[in-house]
Amino acid sequence: MSYINTFRGTAGVGSGEAGQAQDRFGRRIAIRLEQGSQELPHDISERLRAARVRAISQRKREAGVAMALPQLAAAGIGQQFGQGPGLWSRLASGLPVLVLAAGLVCIQALEADRRANEVAEVDAALLADDLPPEAYADAGFVQFLKSDR
């Protein structure tokens, strides 16, 4: 039985010097385990071999699931179950656009109403005043209003 043959290096796991240090450490452990396995009885070495095979198969299943999850998430909920985008998902994706458009229309209407009210207040003040509106256009009258009385 050989641990070295089943050992897969950690190249690519780390980067640079840290990855090389991990690789060297893993190789040293594999060599030490190989030396110690020569002294073990046959039944213990078989149990260790079976445990190693189970661990490797479990690791492969976990890696397969981990790689499949991002693909399912990127595909979207409807496509995850083999369906294309349905009617409800299309309506749900268009709903935010409709809400935004309705909000913009409401804001525009409120602003137009506010501006009309401001103009109406100025007109009402001018019409209720004793002076004619032409007096406010006269430059001399504006100077008179600015000066202290």
Short mmCIF file of all heavy atoms in Angstrom, two decimals, residues 82-147:
data_model
loop_
_atom_site.label_atom_id
_atom_site.label_comp_id
_atom_site.label_asym_id
_atom_site.label_seq_id
_atom_site.Cartn_x
_atom_site.Cartn_y
_atom_site.Cartn_z
N GLY A 82 -35.89 23.00 -14.83
CA GLY A 82 -36.10 22.61 -16.21
C GLY A 82 -37.16 23.43 -16.92
O GLY A 82 -37.58 23.07 -17.99
N GLN A 83 -37.59 24.52 -16.33
CA GLN A 83 -38.60 25.36 -16.95
C GLN A 83 -37.94 26.64 -17.43
O GLN A 83 -36.99 27.12 -16.85
CB GLN A 83 -39.67 25.72 -15.94
CG GLN A 83 -40.35 24.54 -15.30
CD GLN A 83 -41.22 24.97 -14.13
OE1 GLN A 83 -41.25 26.14 -13.80
NE2 GLN A 83 -41.89 24.03 -13.54
N GLY A 84 -38.50 27.21 -18.46
CA GLY A 84 -38.04 28.52 -18.90
C GLY A 84 -38.72 29.58 -18.08
O GLY A 84 -39.52 29.28 -17.19
N PRO A 85 -38.44 30.83 -18.32
CA PRO A 85 -39.12 31.88 -17.58
C PRO A 85 -40.61 31.86 -17.90
O PRO A 85 -41.02 31.96 -19.05
CB PRO A 85 -38.46 33.17 -18.05
CG PRO A 85 -37.71 32.82 -19.27
CD PRO A 85 -37.46 31.35 -19.25
N GLY A 86 -41.45 31.71 -16.88
CA GLY A 86 -42.88 31.61 -17.07
C GLY A 86 -43.53 32.98 -17.07
O GLY A 86 -42.88 34.03 -16.99
N LEU A 87 -44.85 32.95 -17.15
CA LEU A 87 -45.63 34.18 -17.20
C LEU A 87 -45.46 35.00 -15.93
O LEU A 87 -45.26 36.22 -15.99
CB LEU A 87 -47.11 33.85 -17.43
CG LEU A 87 -48.07 35.04 -17.40
CD1 LEU A 87 -47.76 35.96 -18.57
CD2 LEU A 87 -49.50 34.58 -17.43
N TRP A 88 -45.51 34.34 -14.77
CA TRP A 88 -45.41 35.07 -13.51
C TRP A 88 -44.04 35.68 -13.32
O TRP A 88 -43.92 36.79 -12.81
CB TRP A 88 -45.75 34.15 -12.33
CG TRP A 88 -47.20 33.79 -12.31
CD1 TRP A 88 -47.73 32.57 -12.55
CD2 TRP A 88 -48.29 34.68 -12.09
NE1 TRP A 88 -49.09 32.63 -12.48
CE2 TRP A 88 -49.47 33.91 -12.19
CE3 TRP A 88 -48.40 36.03 -11.81
CZ2 TRP A 88 -50.74 34.46 -12.02
CZ3 TRP A 88 -49.67 36.57 -11.64
CH2 TRP A 88 -50.81 35.81 -11.74
N SER A 89 -42.99 34.98 -13.72
CA SER A 89 -41.65 35.56 -13.57
C SER A 89 -41.46 36.75 -14.52
O SER A 89 -40.78 37.72 -14.18
CB SER A 89 -40.57 34.51 -13.80
OG SER A 89 -40.62 34.03 -15.12
N ARG A 90 -42.05 36.69 -15.69
CA ARG A 90 -41.97 37.83 -16.62
C ARG A 90 -42.73 39.03 -16.07
O ARG A 90 -42.27 40.17 -16.16
CB ARG A 90 -42.52 37.45 -17.99
CG ARG A 90 -41.61 36.52 -18.73
CD ARG A 90 -42.14 36.18 -20.09
NE ARG A 90 -41.27 35.21 -20.74
CZ ARG A 90 -41.59 34.59 -21.84
NH1 ARG A 90 -42.73 34.82 -22.44
NH2 ARG A 90 -40.75 33.73 -22.37
N LEU A 91 -43.93 38.77 -15.52
CA LEU A 91 -44.69 39.86 -14.91
C LEU A 91 -43.97 40.45 -13.71
O LEU A 91 -43.94 41.67 -13.52
CB LEU A 91 -46.09 39.37 -14.50
CG LEU A 91 -47.06 39.08 -15.64
CD1 LEU A 91 -48.35 38.49 -15.10
CD2 LEU A 91 -47.33 40.33 -16.45
N ALA A 92 -43.36 39.58 -12.90
CA ALA A 92 -42.64 40.05 -11.72
C ALA A 92 -41.41 40.86 -12.10
O ALA A 92 -41.05 41.81 -11.41
CB ALA A 92 -42.23 38.86 -10.85
N SER A 93 -40.77 40.53 -13.21
CA SER A 93 -39.61 41.30 -13.62
C SER A 93 -40.01 42.65 -14.21
O SER A 93 -39.23 43.60 -14.17
CB SER A 93 -38.77 40.51 -14.63
OG SER A 93 -39.50 40.31 -15.82
N GLY A 94 -41.21 42.78 -14.77
CA GLY A 94 -41.66 44.05 -15.32
C GLY A 94 -42.32 44.95 -14.29
O GLY A 94 -42.48 46.15 -14.52
N LEU A 95 -42.70 44.39 -13.16
CA LEU A 95 -43.39 45.16 -12.12
C LEU A 95 -42.57 46.33 -11.59
O LEU A 95 -43.11 47.44 -11.46
CB LEU A 95 -43.81 44.23 -10.98
CG LEU A 95 -44.65 44.86 -9.88
CD1 LEU A 95 -45.98 45.33 -10.45
CD2 LEU A 95 -44.87 43.86 -8.76
N PRO A 96 -41.28 46.18 -11.29
CA PRO A 96 -40.52 47.34 -10.82
C PRO A 96 -40.48 48.49 -11.82
O PRO A 96 -40.50 49.67 -11.45
CB PRO A 96 -39.12 46.79 -10.56
CG PRO A 96 -39.31 45.34 -10.35
CD PRO A 96 -40.49 44.95 -11.19
N VAL A 97 -40.43 48.18 -13.10
CA VAL A 97 -40.41 49.23 -14.12
C VAL A 97 -41.74 49.99 -14.12
O VAL A 97 -41.76 51.23 -14.22
CB VAL A 97 -40.12 48.61 -15.51
CG1 VAL A 97 -40.24 49.65 -16.60
CG2 VAL A 97 -38.74 47.98 -15.52
N LEU A 98 -42.83 49.27 -13.99
CA LEU A 98 -44.14 49.92 -13.94
C LEU A 98 -44.29 50.79 -12.70
O LEU A 98 -44.82 51.91 -12.78
CB LEU A 98 -45.25 48.87 -13.98
CG LEU A 98 -45.40 48.10 -15.29
CD1 LEU A 98 -46.44 47.01 -15.16
CD2 LEU A 98 -45.76 49.05 -16.41
N VAL A 99 -43.83 50.31 -11.57
CA VAL A 99 -43.90 51.11 -10.33
C VAL A 99 -43.05 52.36 -10.47
O VAL A 99 -43.46 53.46 -10.05
CB VAL A 99 -43.46 50.25 -9.12
CG1 VAL A 99 -43.29 51.09 -7.89
CG2 VAL A 99 -44.46 49.14 -8.87
N LEU A 100 -41.88 52.24 -11.04
CA LEU A 100 -41.02 53.41 -11.25
C LEU A 100 -41.67 54.42 -12.17
O LEU A 100 -41.66 55.64 -11.89
CB LEU A 100 -39.67 52.96 -11.83
CG LEU A 100 -38.66 54.05 -12.10
CD1 LEU A 100 -38.24 54.73 -10.80
CD2 LEU A 100 -37.46 53.50 -12.83
N ALA A 101 -42.25 53.96 -13.26
CA ALA A 101 -42.91 54.88 -14.20
C ALA A 101 -44.10 55.58 -13.53
O ALA A 101 -44.28 56.80 -13.70
CB ALA A 101 -43.37 54.12 -15.44
N ALA A 102 -44.89 54.84 -12.75
CA ALA A 102 -46.03 55.45 -12.05
C ALA A 102 -45.55 56.48 -11.04
O ALA A 102 -46.14 57.56 -10.88
CB ALA A 102 -46.86 54.37 -11.36
N GLY A 103 -44.46 56.18 -10.34
CA GLY A 103 -43.90 57.13 -9.39
C GLY A 103 -43.44 58.41 -10.06
O GLY A 103 -43.65 59.52 -9.56
N LEU A 104 -42.78 58.28 -11.21
CA LEU A 104 -42.33 59.47 -11.94
C LEU A 104 -43.49 60.33 -12.43
O LEU A 104 -43.44 61.56 -12.38
CB LEU A 104 -41.44 59.06 -13.11
CG LEU A 104 -40.07 58.49 -12.73
CD1 LEU A 104 -39.35 57.98 -13.97
CD2 LEU A 104 -39.23 59.53 -12.01
N VAL A 105 -44.56 59.69 -12.89
CA VAL A 105 -45.74 60.43 -13.33
C VAL A 105 -46.36 61.17 -12.16
O VAL A 105 -46.75 62.35 -12.29
CB VAL A 105 -46.76 59.47 -14.00
CG1 VAL A 105 -48.10 60.13 -14.21
CG2 VAL A 105 -46.20 58.98 -15.33
N CYS A 106 -46.46 60.53 -11.00
CA CYS A 106 -47.02 61.18 -9.81
C CYS A 106 -46.16 62.37 -9.37
O CYS A 106 -46.69 63.44 -9.04
CB CYS A 106 -47.14 60.18 -8.67
SG CYS A 106 -48.45 58.98 -8.90
N ILE A 107 -44.85 62.20 -9.37
CA ILE A 107 -43.95 63.30 -8.99
C ILE A 107 -44.12 64.47 -9.94
O ILE A 107 -44.18 65.63 -9.52
CB ILE A 107 -42.49 62.80 -8.95
CG1 ILE A 107 -42.29 61.87 -7.76
CG2 ILE A 107 -41.52 63.97 -8.89
CD1 ILE A 107 -40.95 61.18 -7.74
N GLN A 108 -44.20 64.19 -11.24
CA GLN A 108 -44.35 65.26 -12.23
C GLN A 108 -45.66 65.99 -12.01
O GLN A 108 -45.71 67.22 -12.08
CB GLN A 108 -44.27 64.66 -13.64
CG GLN A 108 -44.12 65.68 -14.74
CD GLN A 108 -45.46 66.18 -15.26
OE1 GLN A 108 -46.48 65.51 -15.15
NE2 GLN A 108 -45.44 67.37 -15.82
N ALA A 109 -46.74 65.27 -11.73
CA ALA A 109 -48.04 65.90 -11.51
C ALA A 109 -48.02 66.76 -10.25
O ALA A 109 -48.56 67.88 -10.23
CB ALA A 109 -49.13 64.84 -11.42
N LEU A 110 -47.41 66.27 -9.18
CA LEU A 110 -47.33 67.04 -7.94
C LEU A 110 -46.50 68.32 -8.12
O LEU A 110 -46.85 69.38 -7.60
CB LEU A 110 -46.74 66.18 -6.82
CG LEU A 110 -47.65 65.07 -6.30
CD1 LEU A 110 -46.89 64.18 -5.31
CD2 LEU A 110 -48.89 65.65 -5.64
N GLU A 111 -45.40 68.23 -8.86
CA GLU A 111 -44.56 69.41 -9.10
C GLU A 111 -45.30 70.45 -9.95
O GLU A 111 -45.20 71.65 -9.70
CB GLU A 111 -43.25 69.01 -9.78
CG GLU A 111 -42.25 68.37 -8.85
CD GLU A 111 -41.80 69.35 -7.78
OE1 GLU A 111 -41.43 70.50 -8.09
OE2 GLU A 111 -41.83 68.95 -6.60
N ALA A 112 -46.02 70.00 -10.96
CA ALA A 112 -46.80 70.93 -11.78
C ALA A 112 -47.87 71.62 -10.94
O ALA A 112 -48.10 72.84 -11.09
CB ALA A 112 -47.44 70.19 -12.95
N ASP A 113 -48.51 70.89 -10.06
CA ASP A 113 -49.53 71.46 -9.18
C ASP A 113 -48.90 72.48 -8.21
O ASP A 113 -49.47 73.55 -7.97
CB ASP A 113 -50.23 70.35 -8.40
CG ASP A 113 -51.43 70.84 -7.64
OD1 ASP A 113 -52.19 71.65 -8.22
OD2 ASP A 113 -51.61 70.42 -6.47
N ARG A 114 -47.72 72.17 -7.69
CA ARG A 114 -47.03 73.08 -6.77
C ARG A 114 -46.67 74.39 -7.48
O ARG A 114 -46.86 75.49 -6.95
CB ARG A 114 -45.77 72.42 -6.20
CG ARG A 114 -45.07 73.26 -5.13
CD ARG A 114 -43.77 72.62 -4.70
NE ARG A 114 -42.83 72.41 -5.79
CZ ARG A 114 -41.99 73.34 -6.27
NH1 ARG A 114 -41.99 74.56 -5.75
NH2 ARG A 114 -41.17 73.07 -7.25
N ARG A 115 -46.16 74.26 -8.71
CA ARG A 115 -45.80 75.48 -9.47
C ARG A 115 -47.04 76.32 -9.77
O ARG A 115 -47.01 77.55 -9.71
CB ARG A 115 -45.10 75.09 -10.77
CG ARG A 115 -43.63 74.84 -10.57
CD ARG A 115 -42.91 74.64 -11.89
NE ARG A 115 -42.23 73.34 -11.81
CZ ARG A 115 -42.46 72.30 -12.58
NH1 ARG A 115 -43.33 72.38 -13.56
NH2 ARG A 115 -41.83 71.18 -12.40
N ALA A 116 -48.14 75.68 -10.11
CA ALA A 116 -49.37 76.42 -10.40
C ALA A 116 -49.88 77.14 -9.16
O ALA A 116 -50.36 78.28 -9.24
CB ALA A 116 -50.45 75.46 -10.93
N ASN A 117 -49.76 76.50 -8.00
CA ASN A 117 -50.17 77.16 -6.75
C ASN A 117 -49.30 78.37 -6.43
O ASN A 117 -49.80 79.41 -5.96
CB ASN A 117 -50.13 76.17 -5.59
CG ASN A 117 -51.29 75.20 -5.62
OD1 ASN A 117 -52.32 75.49 -6.21
ND2 ASN A 117 -51.10 74.05 -5.00
N GLU A 118 -47.99 78.27 -6.68
CA GLU A 118 -47.09 79.41 -6.44
C GLU A 118 -47.46 80.58 -7.34
O GLU A 118 -47.51 81.74 -6.89
CB GLU A 118 -45.64 79.00 -6.67
CG GLU A 118 -45.06 78.11 -5.59
CD GLU A 118 -43.65 77.67 -5.92
OE1 GLU A 118 -43.13 78.01 -7.02
OE2 GLU A 118 -43.06 76.97 -5.09
N VAL A 119 -47.72 80.31 -8.63
CA VAL A 119 -48.09 81.37 -9.57
C VAL A 119 -49.43 81.99 -9.16
O VAL A 119 -49.61 83.23 -9.21
CB VAL A 119 -48.14 80.82 -11.01
CG1 VAL A 119 -48.76 81.81 -11.97
CG2 VAL A 119 -46.73 80.44 -11.47
N ALA A 120 -50.36 81.16 -8.70
CA ALA A 120 -51.67 81.66 -8.28
C ALA A 120 -51.53 82.57 -7.05
O ALA A 120 -52.23 83.59 -6.94
CB ALA A 120 -52.61 80.50 -8.00
N GLU A 121 -50.64 82.22 -6.13
CA GLU A 121 -50.44 83.06 -4.94
C GLU A 121 -49.87 84.42 -5.33
O GLU A 121 -50.30 85.46 -4.80
CB GLU A 121 -49.50 82.36 -3.95
CG GLU A 121 -50.13 81.21 -3.20
CD GLU A 121 -49.13 80.52 -2.28
OE1 GLU A 121 -48.06 81.09 -2.00
OE2 GLU A 121 -49.44 79.41 -1.85
N VAL A 122 -48.91 84.45 -6.24
CA VAL A 122 -48.34 85.72 -6.69
C VAL A 122 -49.40 86.55 -7.39
O VAL A 122 -49.53 87.77 -7.16
CB VAL A 122 -47.11 85.47 -7.60
CG1 VAL A 122 -46.66 86.76 -8.28
CG2 VAL A 122 -45.99 84.84 -6.81
N ASP A 123 -50.17 85.93 -8.25
CA ASP A 123 -51.24 86.65 -8.96
C ASP A 123 -52.27 87.20 -7.97
O ASP A 123 -52.72 88.36 -8.11
CB ASP A 123 -51.94 85.75 -9.98
CG ASP A 123 -51.08 85.49 -11.20
OD1 ASP A 123 -50.07 86.22 -11.38
OD2 ASP A 123 -51.40 84.55 -11.97
N ALA A 124 -52.63 86.41 -6.99
CA ALA A 124 -53.61 86.87 -6.01
C ALA A 124 -53.06 88.03 -5.20
O ALA A 124 -53.80 89.01 -4.90
CB ALA A 124 -54.01 85.72 -5.08
N ALA A 125 -51.78 88.01 -4.86
CA ALA A 125 -51.18 89.11 -4.11
C ALA A 125 -51.14 90.39 -4.95
O ALA A 125 -51.39 91.49 -4.44
CB ALA A 125 -49.77 88.74 -3.66
N LEU A 126 -50.81 90.24 -6.23
CA LEU A 126 -50.77 91.41 -7.10
C LEU A 126 -52.17 92.00 -7.30
O LEU A 126 -52.35 93.23 -7.30
CB LEU A 126 -50.19 91.05 -8.47
CG LEU A 126 -48.68 90.90 -8.54
CD1 LEU A 126 -48.26 90.41 -9.91
CD2 LEU A 126 -48.00 92.22 -8.23
N LEU A 127 -53.16 91.18 -7.49
CA LEU A 127 -54.51 91.68 -7.72
C LEU A 127 -55.15 92.26 -6.46
O LEU A 127 -55.97 93.18 -6.54
CB LEU A 127 -55.40 90.56 -8.28
CG LEU A 127 -55.04 90.09 -9.70
CD1 LEU A 127 -55.88 88.89 -10.09
CD2 LEU A 127 -55.21 91.23 -10.69
N ALA A 128 -54.77 91.75 -5.29
CA ALA A 128 -55.35 92.26 -4.04
C ALA A 128 -54.65 93.53 -3.55
O ALA A 128 -55.18 94.23 -2.69
CB ALA A 128 -55.26 91.18 -2.96
N ASP A 129 -53.52 93.85 -4.12
CA ASP A 129 -52.76 95.03 -3.70
C ASP A 129 -53.43 96.30 -4.24
O ASP A 129 -54.11 96.29 -5.26
CB ASP A 129 -51.32 94.92 -4.22
CG ASP A 129 -50.38 95.83 -3.47
OD1 ASP A 129 -50.80 96.48 -2.50
OD2 ASP A 129 -49.19 95.87 -3.86
N ASP A 130 -53.17 97.42 -3.54
CA ASP A 130 -53.75 98.69 -3.96
C ASP A 130 -53.04 99.26 -5.19
O ASP A 130 -53.63 100.06 -5.93
CB ASP A 130 -53.67 99.72 -2.82
CG ASP A 130 -54.58 99.33 -1.67
OD1 ASP A 130 -55.56 98.58 -1.92
OD2 ASP A 130 -54.32 99.75 -0.53
N LEU A 131 -51.77 98.88 -5.39
CA LEU A 131 -51.00 99.40 -6.52
C LEU A 131 -51.31 98.61 -7.79
O LEU A 131 -51.57 97.42 -7.74
CB LEU A 131 -49.51 99.30 -6.23
CG LEU A 131 -48.98 100.14 -5.06
CD1 LEU A 131 -47.54 99.80 -4.79
CD2 LEU A 131 -49.12 101.61 -5.41
N PRO A 132 -51.22 99.30 -8.92
CA PRO A 132 -51.40 98.57 -10.17
C PRO A 132 -50.15 97.71 -10.46
O PRO A 132 -49.05 98.03 -10.02
CB PRO A 132 -51.57 99.67 -11.21
CG PRO A 132 -50.96 100.87 -10.61
CD PRO A 132 -51.08 100.73 -9.13
N PRO A 133 -50.27 96.62 -11.20
CA PRO A 133 -49.13 95.75 -11.50
C PRO A 133 -48.02 96.47 -12.24
O PRO A 133 -46.86 96.10 -12.12
CB PRO A 133 -49.73 94.64 -12.37
CG PRO A 133 -51.19 94.64 -12.05
CD PRO A 133 -51.53 96.05 -11.67
N GLU A 134 -48.33 97.57 -12.99
CA GLU A 134 -47.29 98.29 -13.73
C GLU A 134 -46.32 98.97 -12.77
O GLU A 134 -45.17 99.24 -13.11
CB GLU A 134 -47.90 99.34 -14.66
CG GLU A 134 -48.68 98.76 -15.82
CD GLU A 134 -50.11 98.43 -15.43
OE1 GLU A 134 -50.63 99.00 -14.44
OE2 GLU A 134 -50.72 97.59 -16.09
N ALA A 135 -46.73 99.26 -11.55
CA ALA A 135 -45.86 99.93 -10.59
C ALA A 135 -44.69 99.03 -10.20
O ALA A 135 -43.58 99.51 -9.97
CB ALA A 135 -46.66 100.31 -9.34
N TYR A 136 -44.92 97.74 -10.14
CA TYR A 136 -43.83 96.82 -9.78
C TYR A 136 -42.80 96.72 -10.90
O TYR A 136 -41.65 96.40 -10.64
CB TYR A 136 -44.41 95.42 -9.48
CG TYR A 136 -45.21 95.39 -8.20
CD1 TYR A 136 -46.60 95.42 -8.21
CD2 TYR A 136 -44.57 95.36 -6.96
CE1 TYR A 136 -47.33 95.40 -7.04
CE2 TYR A 136 -45.31 95.34 -5.79
CZ TYR A 136 -46.68 95.35 -5.83
OH TYR A 136 -47.39 95.33 -4.67
N ALA A 137 -43.18 97.02 -12.12
CA ALA A 137 -42.25 96.98 -13.25
C ALA A 137 -41.42 98.26 -13.34
O ALA A 137 -40.39 98.28 -14.01
CB ALA A 137 -43.00 96.76 -14.55
N ASP A 138 -41.82 99.32 -12.67
CA ASP A 138 -41.11 100.59 -12.70
C ASP A 138 -39.85 100.49 -11.85
O ASP A 138 -39.88 100.10 -10.69
CB ASP A 138 -42.03 101.69 -12.17
CG ASP A 138 -41.41 103.07 -12.28
OD1 ASP A 138 -40.42 103.21 -13.05
OD2 ASP A 138 -41.91 103.98 -11.61
N ALA A 139 -38.67 100.90 -12.44
CA ALA A 139 -37.39 100.81 -11.72
C ALA A 139 -37.36 101.76 -10.54
O ALA A 139 -36.79 101.45 -9.49
CB ALA A 139 -36.24 101.11 -12.68
N GLY A 140 -37.96 102.91 -10.66
CA GLY A 140 -37.98 103.87 -9.55
C GLY A 140 -38.77 103.35 -8.37
O GLY A 140 -38.42 103.58 -7.20
N PHE A 141 -39.86 102.66 -8.62
CA PHE A 141 -40.68 102.14 -7.54
C PHE A 141 -39.93 101.02 -6.80
O PHE A 141 -40.02 100.91 -5.58
CB PHE A 141 -42.01 101.61 -8.09
CG PHE A 141 -42.93 101.10 -7.03
CD1 PHE A 141 -43.54 101.97 -6.14
CD2 PHE A 141 -43.19 99.74 -6.91
CE1 PHE A 141 -44.39 101.50 -5.15
CE2 PHE A 141 -44.04 99.27 -5.94
CZ PHE A 141 -44.64 100.15 -5.04
N VAL A 142 -39.15 100.22 -7.54
CA VAL A 142 -38.36 99.16 -6.89
C VAL A 142 -37.32 99.80 -5.97
O VAL A 142 -37.11 99.34 -4.85
CB VAL A 142 -37.70 98.26 -7.96
CG1 VAL A 142 -36.74 97.27 -7.33
CG2 VAL A 142 -38.75 97.53 -8.77
N GLN A 143 -36.70 100.92 -6.41
CA GLN A 143 -35.75 101.62 -5.56
C GLN A 143 -36.45 102.18 -4.32
O GLN A 143 -35.91 102.16 -3.23
CB GLN A 143 -35.08 102.77 -6.34
CG GLN A 143 -34.05 102.32 -7.33
CD GLN A 143 -32.86 101.66 -6.63
OE1 GLN A 143 -32.60 101.88 -5.46
NE2 GLN A 143 -32.16 100.83 -7.39
N PHE A 144 -37.68 102.70 -4.50
CA PHE A 144 -38.46 103.23 -3.37
C PHE A 144 -38.74 102.14 -2.34
O PHE A 144 -38.67 102.39 -1.15
CB PHE A 144 -39.76 103.83 -3.90
CG PHE A 144 -40.72 104.21 -2.81
CD1 PHE A 144 -40.48 105.33 -2.03
CD2 PHE A 144 -41.85 103.45 -2.55
CE1 PHE A 144 -41.37 105.68 -1.02
CE2 PHE A 144 -42.72 103.79 -1.55
CZ PHE A 144 -42.49 104.92 -0.77
N LEU A 145 -39.05 100.95 -2.81
CA LEU A 145 -39.33 99.83 -1.89
C LEU A 145 -38.07 99.42 -1.14
O LEU A 145 -38.16 99.02 0.03
CB LEU A 145 -39.92 98.64 -2.64
CG LEU A 145 -41.35 98.82 -3.19
CD1 LEU A 145 -41.74 97.58 -3.96
CD2 LEU A 145 -42.31 99.06 -2.05
N LYS A 146 -36.90 99.49 -1.77
CA LYS A 146 -35.66 99.07 -1.14
C LYS A 146 -35.16 100.11 -0.13
O LYS A 146 -34.44 99.75 0.81
CB LYS A 146 -34.57 98.84 -2.18
CG LYS A 146 -34.81 97.59 -3.01
CD LYS A 146 -33.69 97.38 -3.98
CE LYS A 146 -33.91 96.14 -4.82
NZ LYS A 146 -32.86 95.91 -5.79
N SER A 147 -35.49 101.36 -0.31
CA SER A 147 -34.99 102.42 0.58
C SER A 147 -35.78 102.41 1.89
O SER A 147 -36.90 101.95 1.96
CB SER A 147 -35.08 103.78 -0.09
OG SER A 147 -36.43 104.11 -0.28
#
